């Protein structure tokens, strides 16, 4: 292996998403098949034995890229020297639970972990928050880790982005690789806005076309498509009786990979990032935008036209994020 | 994508190993980053909703290599046109259960699935049996699918092989990719024989025998062996669940090396139909050291077997013969 290993932290590593995620990381899905990895896995005391079981399995899998595994319940040890932190740890949503139900439990976790990351992580550590409420957990983490550049703290909406691509591919009966440039605006919640106004599909042996014109069903695109994507998490829980670990883990790998290695030309992806006021979205919240990535940095793709329908939806999800921020702060007092 | 898609069947796809395995297949871990796949997933009717949930998640993951998903409880539909079949479906071993406890439940499953595969799979379909008792399930499958070439029916001992590599790497504090050529002989059970007599470690100067570097024959002949043999139980004790992650990963390694070939100078362990090499019983599925080339496995010949090893090879062979008898009695 030519490259120096990269240290990747996964919190909540003994849980379902962690179990799906760590073999993906160890096989190079997150950072490329030539990038050696050292995995740091953190979980809470009651999960110590299970966490050690995961470490044993990682040893048993004889992964060529996996140079070492640190499994610990000590956040300071877990965060030491990490270049990438995937914060999965938190309370999983169960059938019937609303996201706000888990908010209060999670914001105090993220305040504490902010501190450990800030003190121990490598400079320029890239952070991805997965645990729900993802945007607000990421915001709390940002607020309580002021020395971590705000551009380095993101949350996962790639899952919703991939779900939107998947729904379009099924509708169009085309391979998902031929659809691109959907956007997920806002909160990783039921108020997210899956926007296809700038999405395109490239049919086989044909040129790139707008999704709207190929689907030719604005009613579906403005209603059922939107609600299907918004509520997909609940649909998975209903079918599996468990949260969407596989697809969430896969999306986490996609998010980090594109961030670190760059997005393909002509393609953007969705990431929850600290808002700078783009597209009339107030700053001071973590909001999902269309971004391109280059040289390890994301940039919001600017200049897209926003119609009235979209404006309303983008504002509604922003409003929810402002409410969540207020609720989060009240939980912390 | 230039290549034609390969159809890969996973039975028991709604279960734990299936859930770990399908994203690995869909990302190219099993057949390479340039090989499109169509996944066939089979499970039993009580798992239909959960199986559909897995299909939904595969759609939601927007995998570039995944060209289609067939999720079904119909074994004929599941087997139609498949090029690779990974038979994970069966009863999982729970804490305290012995492998023989699950034997009778599983042999009738494998008899009926043999029939479906034989009639509907693509020609030259490669089969990997994972569900325990893996060797005997594979044997039953072979016996009841006579038109599938015996060489195409294998069982998973790559998990044990990888576990053995992992234990050596931890003992020597070296990278696991620098350790090679352990052998798992025999049954994927507690009588398996993890043999390091021909294993080597890459050092800055040269490849050196494991025995020479470890310098602890008592450990290599004692604790090392029992640790590898009983690792499955140790994982269940720690996780309260079976070793899905590492089993799925080993299944990918097994198929990948079979299809794409083993690296030069390296062999792997596979449970294959024995015709008596190394005095293993003929007519059982027995794990041997194999190299793979052009989609075919070949047993590594001419390895010297010392007395200690001979006893262990015979012990696990005897267990396989007993299991074969037990399996047939279950079916009568």
């Amino acid at each position: 292996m030519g490259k120096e290993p990269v240290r990747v932290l996964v919190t909540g590593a003994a849980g379902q998403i962690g179990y799906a995620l760590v073999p993906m990381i160890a096989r190079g899905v997150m950072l490329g098949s030539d990038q050696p990895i050292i995995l740091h896995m953190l979980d809470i005391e009651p999960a110590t034995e299970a966490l050690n079981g995961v470490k044993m399995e990682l040893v048993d899998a004889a992964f060529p890229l996996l140079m070492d595994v640190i499994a610990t319940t000590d956040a300071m040890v877990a965060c030491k020297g990490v270049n990438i932190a995937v914060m999965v740890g938190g309370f999983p949503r169960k059938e019937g639970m609303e996201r706000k139900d888990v908010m209060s439990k999670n914001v105090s976790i993220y305040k504490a972990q902010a501190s450990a990351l800030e003190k121990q992580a490598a400079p320029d550590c890239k952070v991805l928050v997965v645990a729900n409420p993802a945007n607000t957990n990421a915001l709390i983490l940002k607020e309580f880790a002021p020395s971590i550049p705000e551009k380095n703290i993101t949350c996962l909406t790639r899952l919703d982005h991939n779900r939107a691509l998947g729904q379009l591919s099924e509708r169009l009966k085309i391979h998902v690789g031929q659809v691109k440039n959907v956007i997920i605006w806002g909160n990783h919640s039921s108020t997210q806005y899956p926007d296809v106004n700038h999405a395109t599909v490239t049919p086989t042996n044909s040129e790139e076309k707008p999704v709207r014109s190929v689907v030719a069903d604005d009613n579906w695109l403005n209603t059922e498509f939107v609600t299907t994507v918004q509520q997909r998490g609940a649909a998975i829980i209903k079918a599996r009786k468990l949260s969407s670990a596989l697809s969430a883990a896969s999306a986490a790998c996609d998010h980090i990979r594109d961030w670190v290695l760059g997005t393909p030309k002509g393609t953007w992806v969705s990431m929850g990032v600290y808002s700078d006021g783009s597209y009339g979205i107030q700053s001071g919240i973590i909001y999902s935008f269309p971004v391109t990535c280059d040289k390890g940095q994301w940039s919001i793709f600017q200049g897209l036209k926003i119609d009235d329908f979209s404006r309303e939806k983008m504002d509604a999800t922003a409003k929810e994020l402002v409410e969540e921020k207020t609720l989060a702060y009240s939980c912390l007092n």
Side-chain angles (χ1 to χ4, degrees), chain A:
Chain A
M1 296 292 150
K3 297 184 171 186
E4 280 302 297
V6 168
R7 288 183 186 269
V8 181
L9 165 65
V10 177
T11 71
Q16 312 247 0
I17 296 180
Y19 196 64
L21 181 56
V22 297
M24 294 180 186
I25 297 170
R27 283 281 190 189
V29 173
M30 182 177 270
L31 294 172
S33 56
D34 60 346
Q35 177 58 66
I37 303 285
I38 294 171
L39 256 173
H40 289 222
M41 303 197 295
L42 174 70
D43 218 303
I44 54 176
E45 279 282 338
T48 305
E49 218 190 339
L51 185 66
N52 194 48
V54 181
K55 177 174 177 172
M56 287 161 75
E57 284 212 70
L58 288 170
V59 171
D60 290 353
F63 290 117
L65 283 176
L66 189 59
M67 301 284 123
D68 202 0
V69 180
I70 290 164
T72 180
T73 56
D74 182 332
M76 297 291 272
V77 170
C79 290
K80 193 164 160 59
V82 301
N83 307 109
I84 300 199
V86 186
M87 319 294 284
V88 180
F91 278 77
R93 176 173 64 168
K94 296 202 165 57
E95 200 173 353
M97 273 174 96
E98 280 298 315
R99 289 171 71 260
K100 289 196 184 103
D101 299 335
V102 293
M103 167 95 66
S104 63
K105 294 193 216 276
N106 280 298
V107 293
S108 37
I109 292 172
Y110 278 85
K111 179 180 171 188
Q113 295 202 334
S115 186
L117 259 182
E118 188 181 42
K119 295 189 174 96
Q120 301 288 337
D124 206 39
C125 175
K126 288 174 161 54
V127 183
L128 166 61
V129 176
V130 177
N132 278 322
N135 302 56
T136 302
N137 285 340
L139 183 67
I140 295 301
L141 200 151
K142 178 233 168 267
E143 296 291 323
F144 289 95
S147 69
I148 298 183
E150 63 197 30
K151 65 184 173 66
N152 281 8
I153 298 176
T154 64
C155 82
L156 190 72
T157 54
R158 182 59 171 269
L159 177 53
D160 314 277
H161 181 103
N162 287 351
R163 285 168 172 167
L165 294 176
Q167 288 303 302
L168 292 173
S169 77
E170 291 211 301
R171 175 75 180 206
L172 293 168
K173 296 195 192 330
I174 201 171
H175 185 246
V176 71
Q178 292 165 263
V179 188
K180 67 177 189 177
N181 291 354
V182 296
I183 302 165
I184 303 296
W185 297 101
N187 199 1
H188 174 64
S189 75
S190 55
T191 69
Q192 65 181 257
Y193 171 45
D195 173 5
V196 301
N197 290 323
H198 312 279
T200 62
V201 53
T202 310
T204 315
N205 300 323
S206 183
E207 59 191 22
E208 209 175 306
K209 297 182 169 118
V211 159
R212 271 202 187 277
S213 58
V214 181
V215 168
D217 188 345
D218 282 350
N219 184 51
W220 181 78
L221 283 169
N222 294 345
T223 57
E224 196 184 319
F225 165 78
V226 169
T227 53
T228 296
V229 175
Q230 287 173 339
Q231 295 165 15
R232 189 68 159 186
I236 301 295
I237 290 176
K238 184 165 184 290
R240 298 193 62 236
K241 307 294 180 272
L242 291 164
S243 215
S244 50
L246 183 163
S247 46
S250 191
C253 288
D254 290 341
H255 174 114
I256 297 287
R257 189 196 59 252
D258 287 349
W259 188 0
V260 172
L261 299 180
T263 43
K265 200 168 156 65
T267 302
W268 62 67
V269 292
S270 301
M271 284 174 62
V273 297
Y274 195 68
S275 173
D276 61 358
S278 295
Y279 292 100
I281 301 302
Q282 67 197 83
S283 56
I285 51 175
I286 305 269
Y287 190 96
S288 181
F289 288 97
V291 302
T292 56
C293 303
D294 189 33
K295 299 190 177 51
Q297 309 266 353
W298 54 263
S299 314
I300 294 173
F301 191 89
Q302 303 281 354
L304 296 171
K305 277 200 65 167
I306 305 298
D307 63 16
D308 288 346
F309 178 88
S310 301
R311 183 78 254 157
E312 199 186 316
K313 291 211 171 288
M314 287 163 68
D315 290 342
T317 185
K319 182 160 179 284
E320 184 184 56
L321 280 167
V322 171
E323 280 171 22
E324 280 192 17
K325 179 175 179 176
T326 308
L327 176 59
Y329 272 96
S330 73
C331 291
L332 286 166
N333 292 337

